[in-house]
Amino acid sequence: MAKNLADYEELGNEEPVIVAEDEEEEEEEDWGDWNADEEEGDNESDSELLCLFCDSKYNATEELFEHCKVTHYFDFHGIRKTLGLDFYACFKLINYVRSQVAESSCWSCKLICQSKLVLQSHLHEASSFKDTMLPWDNDKYLKPFMQDDPLLYSFAEDHDVEVEEENVTSVDKVEDLINFERICIDDDSSLGGELYNFQTQENGRKEIPSTSNSCLNNKNPSQEAKISSADAEVACCADRKPKDKNLRVSFAKVVENDIKNVNKNYFGSYSSFAIHREMISDKVRTDAYRQAILNNPSLFHGASVMDVGCGTGILSLFAAQAGASSVTAVEASDKMAAVATQIVKDNGFLWHKSSNEAVSQCTGIIRVVQGMVEELDSSKHVQPHSIDMLLSEWMGYCLLYESMLSSVLFARDRWLKPGGAILPDTATMFVAGFGRGGTSIPFWENVYGFNMSCIGKELVEDAAQIPIVDVLDSSDIVTNTAILQSFDLMGMTPDDMDFTSRIELEPQFENQDNFSGSTCKTWCYGVVLWFETGFTSRFCKEMPVILSTSPYTPKTHWSQTILSFKEPIAMAMGKTSTDRSAAVGTDACPAMRIQSRISIARASQHRSIDISLEIVGIDALGRKRRWPVQIFNLA
């Protein structure tokens, strides 16, 4: 049911007008699995933690220090324990290291390198500082080298200290140190505020605090329309606690209205016949449904069917053709509901109730109902738990975009009989790494004999922030394929649409053009996602069917969803020479495998999804390198 993203109209700009005042800070919210790995028990701070030596960022101090230890040979906890450093000495150490790195100077031996990149190659294990003057033992390093460095607030929290009071008071100590360095020019509280927000972009600019569209800072859309007065109070602003009940209620209404506006534009966009022609012309899609319906007569014969989001009514017509006794075709778009009614009537399947008062008779099979399935009047249209079969083509780009699956699950819980069937009944998401051919770089390198590669490079950089929906050739896949997530529509809940999965990718030698040299080396430019839905033998006993959007099968209108890395990662198969001084994932030290953690969740903007991508490259020696987390919004 995916369509061109450009077809969406802009939403209205109705927003609540709320005046914020600087008062007490709120308690931190539980950000869930996006910002915290519950299995590892990481303590999180509100800001990303910047590595001491490179541009990598992490959400937990333990991850950062492990990265520094493995990649940059800086063992913070080992140094702390060996030298018996207290809180203030550790505070100085962090500021000292940052100051040295800024000057491309080795913090340990003080060798000055030509660049930061050369410094990273030079870094080595710490020299022995015993019985010597510690170079960071200077009160000037009590001043934070980096404004609002979140690492200074959290480095003591993830480490077991001998004195319990040190952990309890570490934040207070940092606050004292930070406040000591700040100078109040004006006592007017209205001029107060944060000095900086620690969100450094690639170009070095710093952004002021802002409200994200991501689900990292918001509840999922299904909850937003039911905001309680207490929730609305929290959502209004971080520093103000409104006492006006009407304000809180009106805020909840605004959120609900925003969802209605999105739904109105969403369903309205499906009134375009071009979209329906594209979907019906998708032979892979339409044939899969047709075969699953017509080739499983025992499933449909005499069954009562509900088609959720019927569009033109094509699936309802298949169901009637297969022998269904009744079909309720639900369509939220006013125009398409009228069109579907006319189509069903023209083909002789329209349900009709006799107006003869003496004899009440019904003819036809398909009844078209205009409205969202969540808003059906049970007494008028269909009784609860009276449907034998739920039929729907609900899938969007990257499977979950458009969030129509939640409507199918609602219909299942409200209308489906116990033991009833859903088609399709399973869905599976897959992921694989793609090579240079999956980018636009090759095209721009030779345009009628002219080199326009600068355009290709810029497009690749942009693609590291925005997901691309396009058809990827299977020859451009350079790794194995891994299962990202599987769904069973008979038992899943709407919350299962928000998930985090860990996968591991290794180079595969299927297309020799993607590899070079005797070491079978290639470059991975990102990952590509696709899905399959199953009409399984659980219900389709005569003929199970698989609808696939894989790069290895004929293309569909869903294409694939492409997530590009910020920089390509060199990968190699088999034994290869490794330069220990080089960073993992470079030409001199290719990665043998890539471990990734991918999170997908419904975004605060209704019917959109957020995708979080974390990658770790591992070389032949087991050394690891982490790249900064990337956040993509499919909207």
Side-chain angles (χ1 to χ4, degrees), residues 311-487:
T312 60
I314 183 66
L315 302 187
S316 296
L317 292 169
F318 287 154
Q321 194 176 37
S325 61
S326 66
V327 179
T328 302
V330 184
E331 174 55 46
S333 168
D334 294 349
K335 179 177 180 179
M336 290 311 302
V339 170
T341 300
Q342 186 63 47
I343 292 174
V344 171
K345 180 179 179 180
D346 291 345
N347 286 275
F349 288 106
L350 185 64
W351 179 90
H352 176 71
K353 186 174 183 179
S354 173
S355 58
N356 189 342
E357 295 182 359
V359 180
S360 179
Q361 292 182 338
C362 297
T363 60
I365 297 173
I366 302 174
R367 176 173 52 182
V368 179
V369 179
Q370 191 280 317
M372 295 179 60
V373 71
E374 293 89 346
E375 300 172 355
L376 289 185
D377 181 0
S378 60
S379 63
K380 181 179 179 181
H381 298 297
V382 59
Q383 294 299 315
H385 309 297
S386 62
I387 298 296
D388 297 308
M389 165 79 63
L390 275 180
L391 189 62
S392 180
E393 194 274 82
W394 52 266
M395 299 83 74
Y397 295 130
C398 198
L399 183 66
L400 298 175
Y401 176 64
E402 296 180 4
S403 298
M404 192 174 164
L405 175 55
S406 58
S407 296
V408 177
L409 300 181
F410 178 91
R412 176 200 66 188
D413 296 338
R414 178 67 173 168
W415 313 115
L416 192 64
K417 288 181 179 179
I422 300 178
L423 290 186
D425 59 308
T426 65
T428 306
M429 300 179 70
F430 299 89
V431 60
F434 66 88
R436 191 169 181 272
T439 70
S440 60
I441 293 177
F443 173 84
W444 292 105
E445 285 181 336
N446 187 351
V447 181
Y448 289 95
F450 298 103
N451 182 2
M452 300 185 181
S453 57
C454 60
I455 297 178
K457 292 178 181 178
E458 184 172 336
L459 289 174
V460 170
E461 292 176 359
D462 293 341
Q465 303 176 25
I466 303 173
I468 295 176
V469 176
D470 201 356
V471 176
L472 192 79
D473 195 289
S474 60
S475 63
D476 295 320
I477 302 294
V478 297
T479 73
N480 62 301
T481 297
I483 293 178
L484 183 63
Q485 187 75 348
S486 296
F487 301 100

Side-chain angles (χ1 to χ4, degrees), residues 53-275:
F53 303 95
C54 66
D55 295 330
S56 298
K57 294 180 181 179
Y58 298 91
N59 292 323
T61 54
E62 281 304 305
E63 291 183 359
L64 184 146
F65 286 140
E66 179 65 19
H67 160 75
C68 289
K69 178 181 178 181
V70 173
T71 305
H72 305 301
Y73 307 99
F74 178 79
D75 184 1
F76 174 83
H77 294 316
I79 296 172
R80 179 178 187 171
K81 183 176 181 180
T82 300
L83 299 178
L85 303 182
D86 60 13
F87 173 85
Y88 293 102
C90 292
F91 191 97
K92 293 178 183 178
L93 172 60
I94 291 174
N95 288 314
Y96 166 77
V97 172
R98 289 207 188 278
S99 67
Q100 296 302 299
V101 171
E103 298 175 358
S104 299
S105 175
C106 178
W107 73 277
S108 179
C109 68
K110 297 187 177 182
L111 175 68
I112 299 177
C113 301
Q114 293 180 347
S115 66
K116 189 175 179 179
L117 185 60
V118 175
L119 171 64
Q120 292 181 25
S121 299
H122 161 79
L123 292 173
H124 52 82
E125 295 182 355
S127 304
S128 176
F129 291 107
K130 286 189 175 183
D131 302 325
T132 62
M133 178 69 176
L134 299 177
W136 58 88
D137 190 15
N138 189 314
D139 286 345
K140 71 177 183 180
Y141 295 118
L142 287 174
K143 178 180 179 180
F145 179 80
M146 180 180 294
Q147 288 281 19
D148 288 350
D149 186 353
L151 182 59
L152 297 176
Y153 289 85
S154 57
F155 73 87
E157 296 176 2
D158 288 341
H159 184 260
D160 294 327
V161 292
E162 295 180 0
V163 182
E164 185 177 355
E165 288 184 2
E166 182 172 344
N167 245 350
V168 176
T169 61
S170 61
V171 174
D172 295 333
K173 292 178 181 178
V174 178
E175 290 288 350
D176 292 340
L177 290 169
I178 301 298
N179 292 332
F180 178 77
E181 297 299 330
R182 292 182 176 174
I183 301 176
C184 246
I185 298 178
D186 197 321
D187 290 335
D188 187 351
S189 60
S190 65
L191 299 179
E194 292 186 83
L195 197 59
Y196 289 98
N197 183 27
F198 192 76
Q199 291 182 344
T200 306
Q201 294 184 327
E202 291 183 22
N203 57 10
R205 293 186 296 113
K206 292 195 175 186
E207 296 181 340
I208 61 173
S210 61
T211 303
S212 170
N213 283 332
S214 148
C215 71
L216 303 181
N217 298 324
N218 295 278
K219 298 182 178 181
N220 66 55
S222 64
Q223 296 171 319
E224 290 185 6
K226 300 180 181 179
I227 294 181
S228 65
S229 60
D231 292 332
E233 180 173 330
V234 173
C236 283
C237 61
D239 298 321
R240 186 183 180 205
K241 297 181 179 179
K243 299 178 181 179
D244 188 347
K245 182 179 179 180
N246 293 330
L247 176 61
R248 298 195 296 268
V249 173
S250 65
F251 180 84
K253 289 182 178 179
V254 167
V255 174
E256 185 175 0
N257 288 336
D258 284 344
I259 293 176
K260 289 182 178 179
N261 287 335
V262 173
N263 286 337
K264 181 179 179 180
N265 290 331
Y266 168 72
F267 293 119
S269 65
Y270 272 95
S271 63
S272 168
F273 294 144
I275 295 171

